[in-house]
């Protein structure tokens, strides 16, 4: 007796109504296919091709040239300052941005609409204008007596200013959609406010907080205009990577500029992947 006769056919042993057929694919219609093609072409022209060109220029001098460009003492100092400052600013924004979103959604107070408008100012204000505003407020002629010009604190403050709205605006609509009846039910069962926030609210907000954190970090890494006046761009002290890249371009050294840009690209991609992993684990644990 063969093994084929000993093993029953699973599909035949089930009633006809309970048989599971393999999921059939749904081919795109002509309109959908055209839309997908146009979208991918547009995305390639704006993102993929430019990024590929930057990587190609970075590798045009070979591995030794690339390594020498990114390991130069001044370049390493600028990368370190940019990355660590962006991480610190992102952590601050996760807390303060969520708090501001909570106040805007859950509380009613005089001047709420004005605060809503003020949160969006970093979006609408040109970054070089933001830099001028920060220099006027925190520079040598500060009206409040706070002079942080040409220091690393200036870089931190500039990053905070331009990245403030990201987490606020990603968390706010999600928080507004959370059903408060679930929170009231949890409270009636004896859950503390901290437990309700950790087990009910936070899992719902985690994807939005993660998305806002990724945007905040990416904006900090690439920022230029808001800090170029206040930081002083001092080599080995307050020079960030965007300024370093611009200096390389001014000196007609495109390979070095592309090499530093490639490093930032890799770091940003790694941070986005890490945040996505943290988000999934947090939501799963609930």
């Amino acid at each position: 007796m063969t093994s084929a006769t000993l093993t029953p056919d699973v599909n035949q042993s089930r009633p006809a109504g309970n048989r599971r057929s393999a999921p059939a694919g749904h081919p795109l219609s002509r309109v959908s296919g055209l839309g997908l093609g146009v979208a991918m072409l547009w995305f390639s022209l704006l993102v993929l091709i430019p990024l590929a060109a930057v990587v190609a220029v970075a590798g045009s001098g070979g591995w030794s040239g690339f390594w020498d460009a990114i390991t130069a003492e001044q370049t390493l100092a600028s990368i370190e300052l940019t990355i660590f400052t962006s991480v610190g600013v992102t952590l601050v924004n996760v807390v303060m941005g969520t708090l501001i979103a909570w106040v805007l959604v859950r509380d009613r107070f005089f001047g709420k609409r004005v605060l809503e408008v003020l949160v969006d100012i970093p979006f609408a204000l040109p970054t070089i204008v933001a830099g001028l505003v920060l220099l006027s407020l925190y520079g040598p002629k500060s009206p409040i007596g706070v002079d942080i010009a040409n220091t690393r604190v200036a870089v931190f403050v500039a990053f905070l200013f331009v990245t403030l709205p990201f987490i606020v605006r990603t968390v706010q609509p999600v928080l507004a959609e959370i059903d408060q009846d679930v929170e009231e039910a949890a409270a009636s069962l004896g859950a503390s406010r901290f437990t309700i926030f950790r087990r009910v609210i936070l899992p719902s907000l985690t994807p939005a907080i993660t998305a806002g954190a990724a945007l905040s970090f990416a904006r900090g890494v690439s920022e230029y205009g808001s800090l170029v006046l206040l930081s002083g761009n001092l080599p080995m002290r307050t020079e960030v990577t965007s300024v370093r890249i611009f200096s390389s371009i001014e000196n007609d050294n495109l390979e070095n500029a592309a090499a530093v840009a490639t490093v930032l690209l890799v770091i940003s991609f790694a941070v986005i992947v890490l945040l996505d992993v943290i988000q999934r684990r947090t939501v799963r644990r609930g």
Side-chain angles (χ1 to χ4, degrees):
M1 184 178 297
T2 63
S3 59
T5 59
L6 292 175
T7 305
D9 189 344
V10 177
N11 289 331
Q12 291 181 358
S13 63
R14 293 177 179 171
N18 293 334
R19 294 179 184 176
R20 295 181 180 178
S21 58
H26 297 283
L28 294 174
S29 65
R30 292 183 178 180
V31 175
S32 298
L34 178 61
L36 177 61
V38 171
M40 291 304 300
L41 176 61
W42 186 252
F43 180 75
S44 298
L45 291 174
L46 290 181
V47 180
L48 296 181
I49 295 177
L51 290 181
V54 169
V55 175
V57 173
S60 61
W63 171 252
S64 61
F66 177 84
W67 184 254
D68 291 340
I70 65 175
T71 56
E73 187 178 7
Q74 188 173 343
T75 301
L76 284 178
S78 67
I79 293 175
E80 178 184 359
L81 174 62
T82 303
I83 298 304
F84 281 100
T85 304
S86 297
V87 170
V89 166
T90 300
L91 293 177
V92 172
N93 284 334
V94 166
V95 177
M96 298 307 300
T98 304
L99 178 61
I100 294 174
W102 183 280
V103 170
L104 291 176
V105 172
R106 296 296 178 92
D107 297 333
R108 295 182 179 179
F109 53 91
F110 177 77
K112 180 178 178 179
R113 293 184 180 274
V114 176
L115 181 58
E116 288 270 10
V117 175
L118 292 177
V119 168
D120 289 329
I121 285 182
F123 278 153
L125 198 65
T127 56
I128 192 63
V129 177
L132 182 59
V133 171
L134 293 175
L135 180 63
S136 302
L137 185 60
Y138 300 116
K141 298 181 180 180
S142 170
I144 59 176
V146 178
D147 183 8
I148 59 173
N150 304 330
T151 66
R152 294 195 171 193
V153 178
V155 179
F156 194 88
V157 171
F159 280 9
L160 279 176
F161 180 83
V162 298
T163 60
L164 169 67
F166 288 103
I167 292 182
V168 176
R169 291 313 186 198
T170 54
V171 171
Q172 188 175 355
V174 177
L175 184 60
E177 293 296 325
I178 295 179
D179 190 358
Q180 297 189 32
D181 291 340
V182 179
E183 301 174 38
E184 295 174 359
S188 66
L189 295 175
S192 64
R193 291 186 176 181
F194 177 75
T195 301
I196 293 174
F197 179 79
R198 183 174 63 89
R199 300 298 300 270
V200 177
I201 300 176
L202 185 59
S204 300
L205 295 182
T206 297
I209 293 175
T210 304
L215 292 172
S216 175
F217 178 83
R219 177 63 184 274
V221 167
S222 61
E223 184 55 29
Y224 177 82
S226 64
L227 57 86
V228 69
L229 298 177
L230 187 63
S231 69
N233 309 318
L234 303 177
M236 308 294 297
R237 290 181 56 193
T238 62
E239 184 184 46
V240 296
T241 49
S242 58
V243 177
R244 184 68 178 155
I245 291 172
F246 183 73
S247 299
S248 297
I249 294 175
E250 281 190 323
N251 295 326
D252 198 25
N253 194 342
L254 295 181
E255 290 79 7
N256 280 13
V260 178
T262 301
V263 171
L264 293 184
L265 175 64
V266 173
I267 293 175
S268 298
F269 180 77
V271 169
I272 291 174
V273 172
L274 177 61
L275 289 175
D276 184 68
V277 171
I278 294 175
Q279 167 201 328
R280 292 177 184 273
R281 290 186 177 181
T282 304
V283 172
R284 188 179 300 122
R285 292 175 182 177

